[in-house]
Amino acid sequence: MADSEVVLGLLNDGNYTLTEEMDNADIVLVNTCSVRENAEQRIYGRLGEFKAVKSKNPEVVVGVLGCMAERLREKLNTDEARGVGQIVDLIVGPDEYRKLPSLINNAWHGEKGVAVKLSRVETYDDIVPLRTSGISAWISIMRGCDKFCSFCVVPFTRGRERSRDYFNIIKEVEELGKRGFKEITLLGQNVNSYRYDKYDFADLMKTVSEVDESMRIRFTTSHPHDMSDKLIETIASKNNICKYIHLPIQSGSDRILDLMKREYTSSHYRNLINKIKASIPEVSLSTDIISGFPTETEEDHRMTLEILEETRFDGAFMFKYSPRENTPAWKMDDDVNDEIKSIRINEIVMLQNKISAERNQEMVGTVHKVLIEGESKKSSDDFHGRTEGNKIVIFPKENSIPGTYVDIKITRTNSATLFGHIYKNHKGVKS
Ligand code: 5AD
Ligand code: SF4
């Protein structure tokens, strides 16, 4: 989303406007993810839809942007089997978005374009992203990743780590505050590696949180190897930094963590979680899990279930291992067959859903500060918003307004959502 907003910012020079209707579009761009095979399959499905648009209007310029463009390069142009070659005009990797206006111009004249060079310096620091939400904003504070976890394609598709100018990030936050934004999420593949001059990520979080105390500050993602005490203290000490930490563990087995090149052990992770819980008792935690990594045994799998039981995360993103070409793990035998991967991931999902439901249930009767995001998809009488712990809450609108905070008393929950009613609105009036 953040990258798409940068692309829209780059194209927002008066020549182009955004349309919601694909039939009205002269240019169709799809920003892509390569992290797992099924992400790429979905893009191929989407390109199939663009084929219909292109056959109605052959003038339409179709572009594939982002990680899949980077990874597949010319292959996308020659993929006759899927018919992709005939419909894709532009292939633009994550560090070459600045070339889009000229590539689009050339494409009008029938010239296909491929721009996939990775950069050591590009941060799009001077580009103002075109944000369509007026409430929450993402800010990329760094790009790329130097971690090279053995399963992960990101270091190859998004290139080396580089941090954005500290002072320009602060300036951007100040401007968003003036425009009425109420939530800022600082983004990076590994935010703990942020460094600009003498400033580290904890310094950045502290300064950003002091810009406007009516704005909530979030961040994602942290790597358990690099999460510092200083950052934990900063989160604990600032009221408007959300007490929510996403800390991907991937596996509970030390042997698998080692093969994954994650650079920490399960006991390091456990200690870190204990430290976080001691400093921030009300913290909400979530994680990522990969199930079925090469050589994973039933015993390794049990260790993952154990650490989920023990930590009691509020939520988790859970994936079957997906081999990615050219990564170090690609050379390992993908020896956990798909049937076993399915059984294991089901066990993980069932356990985590039970824990998430229980964690949510514990919140019934308590009051939480919620930032209202908009109308509930299911009922026009209700709004949806999020707690500090990043949980979605549905509640009757009464006379509340999106983009403001309300205190919500939680009355019922399930594993994914909280339900409640307004306890106090932003003016402190009880209802
Ligand atoms: N297979 C499955 N999951 C993966 N992830 C990254 N690479 C892979 C892969 N090859 C997951 C990790 C990471 C999240 C963003 O995606 O859990 O934290
Ligand atoms: Fe991929 Fe995250 Fe590891 Fe970087 S830290 S290689 S983005 S899993």
Side-chain angles (χ1 to χ4, degrees), residues 260-390:
M260 287 177 163
K261 297 257 175 311
R262 288 290 289 178
E263 303 177 326
Y264 55 83
T265 59
S266 59
S267 68
H268 169 86
Y269 190 91
R270 282 185 166 90
N271 290 339
L272 190 54
I273 293 287
N274 290 339
K275 209 167 1 175
I276 292 170
K277 285 182 178 172
S279 309
I280 316 167
E282 72 276 35
V283 73
S284 250
L285 293 165
S286 62
T287 199
D288 291 346
I289 301 281
I290 298 178
S291 176
F293 188 79
T295 76
E296 186 188 75
T297 62
E298 196 56 30
E299 197 190 343
D300 295 316
H301 168 60
R302 296 277 141 219
M303 291 177 188
T304 299
L305 294 173
E306 263 165 40
I307 210 155
L308 290 179
E309 287 265 21
E310 198 182 307
T311 314
R312 295 181 63 74
F313 293 101
D314 292 85
F317 300 93
M318 299 157 279
F319 314 104
K320 282 187 196 174
Y321 168 66
S322 166
R324 310 309 290 133
E325 210 174 340
N326 295 330
T327 58
W330 174 256
K331 292 177 207 88
M332 301 177 199
D333 188 14
D334 181 21
D335 58 353
V336 181
N337 72 44
D338 197 56
E339 205 179 319
I340 294 181
K341 275 187 195 160
S342 296
I343 293 172
R344 290 185 186 164
I345 197 79
N346 277 341
E347 276 183 23
I348 291 171
V349 168
M350 270 167 53
L351 172 64
Q352 183 53 47
N353 282 354
K354 180 176 91 68
I355 296 169
S356 298
E358 286 167 2
R359 295 278 298 151
N360 288 352
Q361 186 61 28
E362 288 161 16
M363 294 172 73
V364 170
T366 59
V367 175
H368 293 266
K369 187 175 173 185
V370 168
L371 176 61
I372 309 177
E373 292 177 351
E375 199 164 271
S376 155
K377 283 193 194 99
K378 290 202 180 131
S379 157
S380 60
D381 296 334
D382 295 341
F383 275 142
H384 70 89
R386 255 172 315 142
T387 64
E388 239 190 83
N390 210 28

Side-chain angles (χ1 to χ4, degrees), residues 34-53:
S34 283
V35 79
R36 285 171 295 277
E37 174 67 21
N38 61 3
E40 291 193 349
Q41 290 309 325
R42 271 165 48 202
I43 301 298
Y44 280 121
R46 209 66 217 280
L47 290 173
E49 287 170 34
F50 298 167
K51 207 173 181 175
V53 177

Side-chain angles (χ1 to χ4, degrees), residues 49-69:
E49 287 170 34
F50 298 167
K51 207 173 181 175
V53 177
K54 192 109 176 168
S55 62
K56 247 192 261 163
N57 180 4
E59 302 283 288
V60 170
V61 169
V62 173
V64 176
L65 314 184
C67 285
M68 200 171 159

